[in-house]
Amino acid sequence: MLKLSNFGPGALVAAAFIGPGTVVTASLAGANFGYALLWALLFSVVACVILQEMSARIGLVTQAGLGENIRNNLTSGWLRWLALLLIFSAIAIGNSVYQGGNLSGASLGASELLGPVPLLDRWLSNAWALVIGIIALLILWSGNARVIERALIVMVLLMSVAFIGTFLLTGPDWDAVFTGTFGFSMPTGATLTVVALIGTTVVPYNIFLHASSVSKKWKTAEELPAARRDLFLSIPFGGLISMAIVATAASAFFGQKIEIESAGDLAESLRPLFGDGATYLMAIGLFAAGISSATTAPLASAYALCGIMGWSVNLRSKAFRIIWFTILVIGIVISSVGINPVTVIWFAQVANGILLPVIVGFLWWLCQSPLLGKYRNSLLQNILAAIIFLISVVLSGRSLGSAFGFW
């Protein structure tokens, strides 16, 4: 029998990758290409499961996070410091900027549901960002892994009700859903959208988050089946939510001349087509997606940075709290006062573009090293890891090309 207590790390990953950015990317994919790109999300979920399973094995067998393992096993002096500097820069700056986006996304949902924040709206262009940031702060300040896990599981369940409910209200074309999911179609101009869909699901900081949270929840390698059950259910469930968003936008907007530039546009545009119910469900989902990502991004940053710097990864340690608090505050400032951090976003895009294949490479290297003993990668797992590594290089090239204006 499945119990809530058996879940946690996998749900954290699902909560992390279904953020406002995913909602926007999935919405644009559906609005512009209909159901045709659902296969890309199915593929990205499979790739995510493979990587997160490797991450879970590292965390469980070594009882340490990915950051600690990179620091302890990368012995070459200059290469070690170069890798640590890259990871530190990408995680610290990248997640600070993306945290602003997470809070902005949650704010869009909150304003649609509840209206403006009394008094605070006079002083801040986005007062909900401050309120939601305080909620995330309280969840993280508890320093209790079980409280954090349960809060994020609730957010994932709320997203599932909201986004899948909206999908059903829009009356999807089930034959097209099936064809788009299990067929392969690449409409003209869809290449970058496919890469973006994969990139919103296969996220570097989630690999750090998963390894560390698994090492906290389970204590012996014999518990690997439990860790696998958690991720094999949680991550595909998160992928189902993303696919529901694509299908909702396809049902509502494909073939129509409706401009969607943000998730808020999607929620508002549903009202004349499907009534207030669809709009409110989408707003609830957007709020849950924003607040879950706003909690997991600082948490993942703290695990990654404390690990690579050799600091304590205890949830209540001073260094751990300083890191997630700093990431959270920067995100609140960016979102609540309307800053448009173009230069910082550019740096974050470049750093994360380089980081993805680096982290996948480290993960692959560690999983076939003697460190894991009998839990090392099998031949099949190594083949799958090699394929995903090549895909991560493509994703990296797309990110860097976009940052430097090549496309």
Side-chain angles (χ1 to χ4, degrees):
M1 181 178 178
L2 296 176
K3 298 180 180 178
L4 187 63
S5 59
N6 293 332
F7 295 90
L12 295 186
V13 173
F17 73 66
I18 310 172
T22 299
V23 176
V24 171
T25 302
S27 299
L28 290 173
N32 294 331
F33 303 104
Y35 303 98
L37 300 184
L38 284 171
W39 64 267
L41 272 176
L42 178 63
F43 172 82
S44 67
V45 168
V46 172
C48 183
V49 166
I50 292 169
L51 290 177
Q52 300 299 159
E53 190 277 337
M54 292 165 64
S55 176
R57 259 187 293 138
I58 288 173
L60 192 58
V61 173
T62 67
Q63 282 297 290
L66 183 62
E68 296 97 303
N69 277 294
I70 291 174
R71 180 183 178 85
N72 295 335
N73 291 280
L74 194 61
T75 55
S76 173
W78 70 269
L79 184 59
R80 181 190 193 194
W81 287 109
L82 179 62
L84 297 187
L85 178 62
L86 173 63
I87 294 169
F88 189 96
S89 300
I91 295 292
I93 297 178
N95 277 9
S96 296
V97 175
Y98 297 142
Q99 181 69 358
N102 293 332
L103 291 168
S104 296
S107 300
L108 287 171
S111 348
E112 179 66 36
L113 291 168
L114 304 171
V117 180
L119 300 178
L120 288 178
D121 267 8
R122 293 183 180 181
W123 308 102
L124 299 172
S125 63
N126 184 6
W128 273 113
L130 178 60
V131 174
I132 293 164
I134 291 171
I135 294 172
L137 184 148
L138 293 175
I139 293 172
L140 291 169
W141 192 264
S142 71
N144 186 317
R146 181 172 295 181
V147 169
I148 295 170
E149 284 179 0
R150 298 259 172 116
L152 292 170
I153 289 172
V154 169
M155 289 296 107
V156 171
L157 293 175
L158 189 58
M159 282 189 282
S160 69
V161 171
F163 289 130
I164 295 175
T166 310
F167 162 63
L168 295 174
L169 280 177
T170 59
D173 180 340
W174 290 103
D175 288 339
V177 169
F178 184 84
T179 303
T181 303
F182 298 104
F184 176 83
S185 173
M186 184 67 79
T188 303
T191 303
L192 290 183
T193 303
V194 168
V195 174
L197 286 172
I198 297 171
T200 61
T201 309
V202 183
V203 184
Y205 74 71
N206 280 349
I207 298 173
F208 289 93
L209 176 63
H210 202 187
S212 295
S213 55
V214 163
S215 71
K216 301 291 182 185
K217 188 172 184 69
W218 293 290
K219 297 302 179 185
T220 65
E222 285 68 33
E223 294 176 286
L224 182 58
R228 283 174 169 162
R229 280 194 300 272
D230 170 42
L231 72 93
F232 288 158
L233 287 173
S234 299
I235 295 174
F237 189 65
L240 180 64
I241 295 172
S242 296
M243 293 173 79
I245 299 168
V246 172
T248 296
S251 301
F253 307 120
F254 181 54
Q256 302 185 34
K257 295 182 179 179
I258 297 177
E259 291 291 327
I260 299 176
E261 296 182 357
S262 72
D265 292 342
L266 177 65
E268 190 56 40
S269 298
L270 288 172
R271 193 186 306 275
L273 297 171
F274 304 105
D276 288 343
T279 298
Y280 288 136
L281 277 175
M282 182 59 70
I284 290 169
L286 185 57
F287 170 77
I291 199 169
S292 64
S293 294
T295 304
T296 52
L299 182 65
S301 300
Y303 274 133
L305 299 185
C306 284
I308 64 171
M309 298 305 296
W311 301 333
S312 171
V313 293
N314 185 295
L315 291 172
R316 297 180 180 179
S317 72
K318 186 176 182 180
F320 194 92
R321 281 181 163 165
I322 287 174
I323 290 173
W324 68 248
F325 182 79
T326 302
I327 299 289
L328 184 58
V329 168
I330 293 173
I332 290 172
V333 171
I334 289 172
S335 182
S336 61
V337 302
I339 293 175
N340 183 19
V342 176
T343 303
V344 185
I345 288 175
W346 179 87
F347 181 86
Q349 193 174 19
V350 172
N352 277 302
I354 299 171
L355 182 65
L356 180 60
V358 170
I359 297 306
V360 173
F362 277 132
L363 187 66
W364 183 18
W365 168 59
L366 288 169
C367 279
Q368 54 184 329
S369 73
L371 181 71
L372 297 192
K374 67 177 182 179
Y375 295 99
R376 285 181 292 178
N377 275 358
S378 64
L379 175 61
L380 176 60
Q381 287 170 323
N382 274 327
I383 292 172
L384 293 174
I387 293 170
I388 295 172
F389 175 75
L390 293 176
I391 292 168
S392 74
V393 172
V394 173
L395 288 172
S396 174
R398 182 264 176 188
S399 180
L400 294 174
S402 176
F404 287 101
F406 296 139
W407 54 68

